Amino acid sequence: QVQLVESGGGSVQAGGSLRLSCAASGYTYSTYQMGWFRQAPGKEREGVASISPGGRITNYADSVKGRFTISRDNAKNTLYLQMNSLKPEDTAIYYCAAGDRWDMALVERSYAYWGQGTQVTVSS
């Protein structure tokens, strides 16, 4: 019944920017921590960023710190990931996720609900 739908992926040159969105429905979105994960071909899924239910606390992987910004608009039931200064190694399928653990950990077990993913491709 919980649905998370990502959008905003695409192809961009290195140094460019993209903003991903995740629209949530079917549950009380504002009570869940939210996260962004990504998976490149042949690699394990890795955590990118997370945000507390009220949006006051954020957590980032070292590889994206200073380049990516996670935010949420609870009135619109929408999660965002602003990605700047993109690098070819950022190429992956990006997933949004929701969980009720309230730990903001960048690990899959802290999130029970997942979107279908959106492709991001960064060319050199």
Side-chain angles (χ1 to χ4, degrees), residues 16-50:
S17 298
L18 286 172
R19 189 176 77 156
L20 306 183
S21 299
C22 175
S25 63
Y27 71 107
T28 306
Y29 165 84
S30 62
T31 67
Y32 285 80
Q33 68 177 8
M34 301 293 293
W36 286 99
F37 291 74
R38 66 186 182 186
Q39 187 168 25
K43 296 185 178 180
E44 297 294 319
R45 189 176 299 181
E46 64 174 345
V48 175
S50 62

Side-chain angles (χ1 to χ4, degrees), residues 35-124:
W36 286 99
F37 291 74
R38 66 186 182 186
Q39 187 168 25
K43 296 185 178 180
E44 297 294 319
R45 189 176 299 181
E46 64 174 345
V48 175
S50 62
I51 189 166
S52 62
R56 295 186 298 170
I57 304 171
T58 57
N59 189 24
Y60 296 92
D62 288 342
S63 60
V64 306
K65 193 172 299 183
R67 300 188 298 121
F68 291 10
T69 302
I70 188 171
S71 62
R72 64 193 297 164
D73 186 339
N74 287 351
K76 297 181 178 179
N77 285 359
T78 303
L79 175 75
Y80 302 97
L81 184 68
Q82 178 66 47
M83 303 185 294
N84 298 328
S85 301
L86 283 162
K87 304 174 181 179
E89 51 263 45
D90 295 319
T91 296
I93 300 175
Y94 284 71
Y95 301 87
C96 69
D100 61 2
R101 296 276 298 272
W102 289 23
D103 59 4
M104 294 174 290
L106 297 176
V107 295
E108 292 186 30
R109 64 178 178 271
S110 291
Y111 303 87
Y113 308 104
W114 295 81
Q116 83 290 345
T118 186
Q119 177 71 48
V120 171
T121 302
V122 184
S123 60
S124 60

